[in-house]
Amino acid sequence: MSSLRVTLPTSLDLYIKGRTEQYLLGVPGLTSVSKRTIHAVVTSQIVEDQRSSIYRATIPTHGNVVLKFHLEEYRSMDDLREEASLYTGQLKDLQGTVIPRYHGLYVGGDESQEQFVCIVLEDCGDPPRDVFHRHYSQDERIEILKQLFELHKKGYIPKTFEEENVVGEPGAYRLVGLRVPFKTDHKCEFDGQWYADERIPVDKFSCNWLFQDGLTMRVWAQWGRPFVKIFGRPYYNIEDYPCQPEIDELSKFVPKSFDEDCDRPILSGWFKDVKKMMDVVEKAGEKPLTAQMVMEHVKMPKFS
């Protein structure tokens, strides 16, 4: 059975009694049968309290990883054993695409015989710094909900689903913190219809669990508040923008050089300028402008 050697920087006052080296043994059935010793060098601290600690580390053979420690005194080792069993069992096929890659479960202790357990996972990034609907665009929230649907297809429904359960970035979101599940035998009947352009599809959504998580994430318009979409992202101050059909028509003129991450504020500002001009034309009682006429009067900005 493999073992884990953890090197701790002296700058971190860990609950492992200030040791700079700690050795742990792999848990049979939940760790590689290889007899080699894996060396993890802790680089930073993510979370630490009296119950648990989470650290970033590097392992030559695994790259950047996260070490999650639980103390037996405060939280049963069964918590992390349960999480490890999900990675190696029911959700194994989702490693590296929906959930982090799993590198083993290890146990250890110190001179006082205080026991602790550590799970080693792929480091997939940080959770959001704000609530779902403020940190992520609507398209990003739906992408996260699609990842959650992958858990549903395996029969797994998490007991809770919050911002701290999501790490990564668009195209590479991973779900973490797979605690004791609410259900492991879920037969999901979701039909793949997200109703992204509707307000709240109360009577249409085919999986109530996904629907409730979608409500928490505010995947749909905020409780019926109207919005317009510019390249997939909702904007709720609709009085500042042209109507949706006009936005869709004008969007066809946006050059390929447009970068959604860098240039979105510029494009949003351009649409606001277009709306101001349309308001002037309307007040003058003139004929509404076509998209081509708008392009002749309001120059499209240059994008990166």
Side-chain angles (χ1 to χ4, degrees):
M1 189 60 60
S2 65
S3 59
L4 175 67
R5 173 190 169 199
V6 181
T7 299
L8 312 167
T10 55
S11 59
L12 290 180
D13 184 19
L14 306 181
Y15 61 64
I16 309 177
K17 308 304 182 189
R19 282 184 162 189
T20 57
E21 293 283 345
Q22 186 66 48
Y23 288 86
L24 303 92
L25 297 177
V27 176
L30 296 174
T31 308
S32 169
V33 295
S34 170
K35 294 184 178 180
R36 65 178 179 175
T37 296
I38 299 174
H39 183 199
V41 178
V42 172
T43 57
S44 63
Q45 174 183 332
I46 302 176
V47 176
E48 181 172 15
D49 55 37
Q50 287 186 323
R51 297 184 175 184
S52 63
S53 289
I54 304 177
Y55 306 101
R56 283 199 161 93
T58 58
I59 297 178
T61 54
H62 297 72
N64 296 327
V65 299
V66 169
L67 309 179
K68 295 175 62 176
F69 284 92
H70 279 188
L71 278 174
E72 184 181 34
E73 178 182 350
Y74 297 98
R75 183 179 298 171
S76 172
M77 289 187 183
D78 290 342
D79 283 0
L80 280 190
R81 288 178 183 269
E82 179 75 25
E83 184 172 345
S85 67
L86 288 169
Y87 281 104
T88 59
Q90 186 174 5
L91 305 181
K92 183 177 180 180
D93 295 342
L94 302 182
Q95 286 190 41
T97 56
V98 178
I99 60 177
R101 291 182 176 87
Y102 167 85
H103 299 304
L105 184 73
Y106 299 84
V107 294
D110 56 23
E111 295 89 341
S112 64
Q113 301 303 308
E114 186 173 50
Q115 296 293 307
F116 48 85
V117 63
C118 174
I119 192 172
V120 184
L121 300 171
E122 173 190 13
D123 186 355
C124 297
D126 295 311
R129 296 182 178 180
D130 206 338
V131 294
F132 281 121
H133 68 281
R134 292 177 182 169
H135 187 87
Y136 300 114
S137 69
Q138 184 193 39
D139 288 344
E140 291 166 348
R141 280 173 275 161
I142 290 178
E143 183 182 342
I144 293 168
L145 205 57
K146 287 180 179 178
Q147 293 289 71
L148 191 59
F149 176 43
E150 294 300 315
L151 297 186
H152 279 224
K153 290 195 289 187
K154 291 293 185 179
Y156 175 92
I157 296 180
K159 200 167 187 178
T160 59
F161 186 69
E162 301 172 344
E163 288 80 4
E164 64 182 24
N165 299 119
V166 181
V167 297
E169 55 189 27
Y173 290 120
R174 299 293 181 265
L175 306 184
V176 298
L178 305 177
R179 303 182 182 89
V180 178
F182 178 74
K183 290 177 71 71
T184 56
D185 58 353
H186 175 55
K187 306 296 182 183
C188 192
E189 298 180 354
F190 179 57
D191 59 8
Q193 297 295 318
W194 297 100
Y195 301 100
D197 294 327
E198 299 193 18
R199 293 185 177 177
I200 301 179
V202 178
D203 301 320
K204 298 179 180 180
F205 216 78
S206 50
C207 175
N208 184 59
W209 304 108
L210 278 178
F211 176 64
Q212 294 300 324
D213 286 321
L215 287 179
T216 299
M217 297 169 66
R218 297 196 182 186
V219 164
W220 303 284
Q222 296 180 17
W223 305 105
R225 184 181 173 190
F227 65 94
V228 293
K229 289 174 66 175
I230 301 176
F231 280 88
R233 181 172 295 181
Y235 292 81
Y236 294 98
N237 50 330
I238 61 173
E239 64 277 3
D240 294 337
Y241 297 95
C243 66
Q244 190 64 59
E246 293 168 336
I247 289 175
D248 294 341
E249 190 64 26
L250 290 167
S251 294
K252 297 176 182 178
F253 293 89
V254 176
K256 293 182 178 180
S257 60
F258 171 70
D259 185 301
E260 288 197 31
D261 291 328
C262 300
D263 298 330
R264 184 174 286 278
I266 300 174
L267 182 61
S268 172
W270 180 78
F271 273 113
K272 289 182 178 180
D273 290 339
V274 169
K275 179 62 165 63
K276 291 176 182 177
M277 187 191 69
M278 287 181 165
D279 289 343
V280 171
V281 171
E282 182 180 359
K283 288 180 180 179
E286 299 178 10
K287 187 177 180 179
L289 300 176
T290 64
Q292 188 63 51
M293 294 170 66
V294 168
M295 295 303 300
E296 293 173 0
H297 289 81
V298 186
K299 187 177 180 180
M300 177 73 69
K302 294 183 178 180
F303 301 115
S304 57

